[in-house]
Amino acid sequence: MMSALTEKIILGIDPGTNVMGYGVIKVIGNKAEMVSMGVIDLRKIPDPYLRLGYIFERVTGIIDSFLPDEMAIESPFFGKNVQSMLKLGRAQGVAIAAAIHHDIPIHEYAPLKIKMAITGVGSASKQQVAGMLQRMLNLDADEMPKFMDATDALGAAYCHFLQMGRPESQASFKSWKDFVNKNQDRVCKGSSN
């Protein structure tokens, strides 16, 4: 018989090429608490490829330290600067590769989705997200980081925690065929004329 209180560790990542945020929460039943949050500071590494290697090493180290069950990562937003998007996508890809290397399931959330989940407003500022997380996770003012990238990452993890409680997220399907096979009562059986 399964225990009523399941425990799960979720790692949140806010990809960045100068500063990458991370946040770790522990979920017990339907409650979440912050375990750790911080940033990977890449500003002193001039070579872009060495930055990617450092991201892989640091994310791997965070995974080894906290042993997350799942990773929630913020997807890059679409901006006008194509070069910035490419660099951000590479940083995100390396963080994802570190999770894949450790067989950790990955969940990607758009910034708008994270802001909506945390504040109820898709256009919320980083400060509003940080303030709401501080209240929801009962964090002291001295626990709040200097860089908002850390609270953005914590927001990704907390967004995933909120999504876990939704009934539709409990089922998983490998394909449309798998969905149809598992949901015969929801499939219309019309004529094929």
Side-chain angles (χ1 to χ4, degrees):
M1 192 165 146
M2 187 182 247
S3 169
L5 292 180
T6 57
E7 186 175 311
K8 185 176 281 199
I9 302 290
I10 302 170
L11 168 62
I13 295 284
D14 177 38
T17 54
N18 290 320
V19 177
M20 179 177 276
Y22 68 90
V24 181
I25 63 172
K26 180 193 287 187
V27 176
I28 301 173
N30 63 353
K31 295 189 189 294
E33 65 181 53
M34 186 199 62
V35 174
S36 179
M37 72 174 149
V39 295
I40 301 168
D41 192 344
L42 305 158
R43 295 173 297 174
K44 291 183 180 171
I45 305 170
D47 185 285
Y49 301 110
L50 292 178
R51 281 185 184 198
L52 296 176
Y54 188 67
I55 290 169
F56 187 84
E57 287 174 18
R58 289 289 289 121
V59 172
T60 296
I62 292 164
I63 289 169
D64 290 341
S65 294
F66 298 104
L67 304 173
D69 298 293
E70 299 186 32
M71 182 171 89
I73 191 163
E74 186 174 304
S75 61
F77 56 90
F78 295 99
K80 292 179 181 173
N81 187 329
V82 175
Q83 283 301 316
S84 294
M85 283 294 300
L86 178 62
K87 289 175 185 174
L88 194 58
R90 286 177 175 170
Q92 184 202 36
V94 169
I96 288 171
I100 290 169
H101 184 72
H102 287 80
D103 295 321
I104 297 170
I106 301 145
H107 306 273
E108 187 174 10
Y109 296 98
L112 180 77
K113 173 100 175 170
I114 295 169
K115 290 175 182 181
M116 281 293 293
I118 304 300
T119 68
V121 180
S123 61
S125 69
K126 287 178 176 284
Q127 290 79 5
Q128 289 170 317
V129 170
M132 191 61 81
L133 284 168
Q134 184 177 2
R135 285 189 286 285
M136 290 190 296
L137 293 168
N138 298 315
L139 304 177
D140 294 329
D142 62 331
E143 290 180 282
M144 297 308 288
K146 177 177 149 188
F147 292 100
M148 294 287 164
D149 307 82
T151 49
D152 284 354
L154 194 64
Y158 199 82
C159 174
H160 183 60
F161 159 66
L162 295 173
Q163 295 304 306
M164 288 170 27
R166 303 223 170 163
E168 62 267 19
S169 68
Q170 298 301 315
S172 65
F173 307 103
K174 295 180 181 116
S175 65
W176 277 109
K177 184 177 180 182
D178 187 34
F179 173 83
V180 170
N181 288 338
K182 291 179 180 174
N183 290 279
Q184 290 295 315
D185 59 321
R186 295 172 72 183
V187 177
C188 293
K189 306 220 190 296
S191 64
S192 56
N193 298 2

